[in-house]
Amino acid sequence: MKIAVLYGGVSGEREVSLSTGTGMMNALKAKGHEVIGIDFHPNHITEITKLDVDLVFIGLHGKYGEDGKVQSVLDMANIPYVGSGVLASALAMDKSKAKQIFDYNGIPTAKSRTYAKYENDGTLREQVLQHFTPPFVIKPNQEGSTLGLTIVQNEDDIGKAIAEGFQHDDEIIVEDYVKGREVTVAVWGEKGKEEALPIIEIIPKNDYYDYESKYKVGGSEHIVPAKLDDDIAATIQKYAVLAHQLMGCETYSRVDFIVTEENIPFILEVNTLPGMTPTSLFPDAAKAVGISYEDMIEKFIHISLQQ
């Protein structure tokens, strides 16, 4: 097949996307496909609309890639691609709206409130303190890879954390800090037939699973499968598949959770275009069931063609 890979982009996750794109292109070439690599920029949309390919792999992360914008361009140009469509991508990227959907459908989430930049009139710190007591989390509503995220340990940090969040987005989420074990679940399959791969527990070298822990070699330890009671593991996998379906995801996604000492799993987010770098989690989950990186990428193609 003739396949284009979009990678790079202009978001804060560009460096990660470059690595993801390289991995995808190498895997596709190893499987005998003709590959066209495109370092994507929103100013060059016409380059995308004129693609003459059988399929597109989107190796972009964050804004202008994972948020549905590129998907809408491909849809209008009638170019097939691997992964979730416009609505699912936009919903999953909007953490506030996604949390509302999870709450409504019985998937536990941390208590949170969303604030817009126009509300930052000098009273936002006091508004936050009316509802939250440190420690709590402040993060951009639409951003990935923990960019702009702060764990507020004391009241003196609130102003700086708010400013940091608004540097990345016009909305921020403030939510309770949930202490526990970080786990993630890779989900894939045709619509209605999705399945969860083995749960991975993430043990970061830093205080929490930050950007460095995610993408630096040796930045975190991945335990596959996670050492969880069977009932808890089954519940987390059920929630992961349900979250994937609620968002309307297609082909694959990765769903992140925190599991408390009381064994309550709190969902963090659904990643519609999870990283595919050498240190990424989805390839580790596939490897745990005997599927190589190259075969995993090929399976994404197979699933997409069956949709």
Side-chain angles (χ1 to χ4, degrees):
M1 294 179 69
K2 189 176 182 181
I3 299 174
V5 176
L6 307 184
Y7 63 96
V10 295
S11 79
E13 299 177 74
R14 173 177 169 79
E15 292 303 315
V16 183
S17 178
L18 291 172
S19 183
T20 284
T22 299
M24 287 179 166
M25 288 187 287
N26 289 340
L28 290 166
K29 290 174 183 176
K31 287 295 184 179
H33 299 288
E34 181 183 350
V35 180
I36 300 171
I38 298 174
D39 189 344
F40 173 76
H41 194 288
N43 291 343
H44 302 151
I45 287 293
T46 53
E47 182 181 2
I48 307 302
T49 60
K50 294 177 181 178
L51 280 173
D52 180 19
V53 295
D54 299 306
L55 194 65
V56 171
F57 257 91
I58 305 174
L60 298 163
H61 303 306
K63 295 178 182 178
Y64 298 102
E66 202 165 357
D67 55 5
K69 291 183 172 68
V70 166
Q71 291 82 353
S72 68
V73 172
L74 293 170
D75 282 344
M76 287 188 288
N78 200 30
I79 299 172
Y81 54 90
V82 176
S84 298
V86 176
L87 180 57
S89 300
L91 265 180
M93 191 73 174
D94 191 321
K95 296 180 180 68
S96 178
K97 290 182 173 57
K99 282 169 71 76
Q100 293 176 44
I101 294 171
F102 300 146
D103 282 334
Y104 183 80
N105 288 276
I107 304 176
T109 70
K111 183 190 84 172
S112 69
R113 296 181 73 89
T114 305
Y115 299 93
K117 186 176 283 187
Y118 68 80
E119 297 177 85
N120 192 19
D121 58 359
T123 67
L124 191 52
R125 178 181 180 277
E126 284 67 36
Q127 292 181 51
V128 169
L129 285 172
Q130 289 177 14
H131 301 281
F132 299 92
T133 301
F136 54 83
V137 176
I138 296 180
K139 61 186 178 183
N141 184 39
Q142 299 194 52
E143 191 56 271
S145 291
T146 66
L147 294 172
L149 180 147
T150 303
I151 298 176
V152 176
Q153 299 290 357
N154 59 72
E155 295 183 8
D156 293 339
D157 297 333
I158 296 174
K160 183 178 179 181
I162 289 172
E164 176 68 19
F166 281 135
Q167 282 188 15
H168 294 267
D169 193 48
D170 288 339
E171 289 186 323
I172 58 171
I173 290 183
V174 183
E175 64 183 9
D176 282 343
Y177 173 66
V178 179
K179 185 176 181 180
R181 301 160 66 187
E182 297 206 36
V183 302
T184 193
V185 186
V187 177
W188 63 1
E190 298 173 40
K191 283 229 172 197
K193 299 179 182 178
E194 296 93 345
E195 61 179 353
L197 290 174
I199 301 171
I200 299 178
E201 180 174 2
I202 306 154
I203 302 178
K205 303 300 183 185
N206 294 339
D207 291 338
Y208 68 100
Y209 194 43
D210 59 5
Y211 191 92
E212 182 181 21
S213 299
K214 288 182 178 184
Y215 302 117
K216 183 179 179 181
V217 175
S220 62
E221 180 183 359
H222 300 169
I223 300 175
V224 197
K227 296 176 182 177
L228 297 164
D229 292 341
D230 290 346
D231 289 347
I232 301 301
T235 296
I236 293 170
Q237 289 178 310
K238 180 187 75 173
Y239 282 158
V241 172
L242 177 59
H244 174 103
Q245 294 171 338
L246 289 171
M247 293 292 98
C249 296
E250 297 177 47
T251 306
Y252 71 108
S253 71
R254 201 195 73 234
V255 189
D256 300 337
F257 296 86
I258 292 285
V259 183
T260 68
E261 291 181 355
E262 296 76 27
N263 281 327
I264 300 173
F266 283 83
I267 190 168
L268 297 176
E269 63 179 334
V270 175
N271 302 274
T272 55
L273 290 175
M276 295 292 167
T277 75
T279 61
S280 290
L281 294 153
F282 203 115
D284 277 359
K287 185 178 179 180
V289 292
I291 299 174
S292 69
Y293 186 102
E294 291 77 14
D295 288 343
M296 175 192 71
I297 295 295
E298 191 71 15
K299 179 155 181 156
F300 291 156
I301 297 173
H302 176 77
I303 295 171
S304 297
L305 296 177
Q306 299 302 313
Q307 304 280 17

